[in-house]
Amino acid sequence: MINFSEEGRIATAQERVRSFKKIATVSEVLNNESIRKFVTDSILQNPPRRSPYVITKIAPLRFNIVGLTTEIKDGVYLIQLNSIYPVETLQRTMFHELVHVLQFDKRYLIEAFGEVFWRGERSTWNVPWGNRPWEIHAEKLTNQLFVPSCEEDK
């Protein structure tokens, strides 16, 4: 005897397996020469200055947020990258988020007690994303310096 409801569940499960999308790893995201060069040239510091400590995590974020950088404490940063995006998108986003690490580390961007300051000027998180000066700066540097991995081979 065939149990059609069971057969339907099996077919649905098989379809989910076929449509499964590989989730990028942090190693794959960091496997980009322009990211490594930016970290070496702009993020890492010479002694006695301490370099920022960056923790990177592939995480389930809202679909419209590709990446997010948080200063956990002085000199320690968490970069979260959205697991629904392909590695190519996450590499560019990683570069952009590393610019935010640079901004925090150089004190261009300061967040304290719910307020945000950009180069000494008070601002707010209520400013639309594309109008925030720290986002404009991060996008400008990313557009100038980031090279997608597929173009590195050319």
Side-chain angles (χ1 to χ4, degrees), residues 73-103:
K73 64 179 188 175
D74 193 34
V76 180
Y77 306 92
L78 172 63
I79 295 177
Q80 297 177 79
L81 300 170
N82 196 328
S83 59
I84 67 170
Y85 290 93
V87 68
E88 296 80 13
T89 301
L90 296 182
Q91 285 180 335
R92 185 186 187 289
T93 302
M94 181 68 183
F95 195 101
H96 174 102
E97 297 305 322
L98 284 167
V99 174
H100 290 316
V101 169
L102 177 73
Q103 293 168 345

Side-chain angles (χ1 to χ4, degrees), residues 28-59:
E28 290 171 331
V29 172
L30 295 176
N31 188 22
N32 175 280
E33 186 59 35
S34 60
I35 290 173
R36 290 191 296 267
K37 184 170 175 29
F38 183 74
V39 168
T40 301
D41 294 349
S42 301
I43 304 283
L44 296 179
Q45 304 293 324
N46 292 320
R49 184 150 153 61
R50 177 182 262 169
S51 295
Y53 184 78
V54 179
I55 302 162
T56 305
K57 178 180 180 183
I58 306 294

Side-chain angles (χ1 to χ4, degrees), residues 2-16:
I2 297 174
N3 181 339
F4 289 104
S5 64
E6 184 64 28
E7 192 172 286
R9 281 195 291 259
I10 291 170
T12 302
Q14 287 171 337
E15 185 57 38
R16 273 190 245 136

Side-chain angles (χ1 to χ4, degrees), residues 3 6 14 30 38 42 50 69 71 75-77 85 91 98 108 110-111 115 119 123 128 131 136 147 149-150:
N3 181 339
E6 184 64 28
Q14 287 171 337
L30 295 176
F38 183 74
S42 301
R50 177 182 262 169
T69 299
E71 184 176 28
V76 180
Y77 306 92
Y85 290 93
Q91 285 180 335
L98 284 167
Y108 299 158
I110 299 170
E111 181 183 19
E115 293 190 314
R119 297 192 176 202
S123 188
N131 295 337
I136 293 168
V147 178
S149 293
C150 60

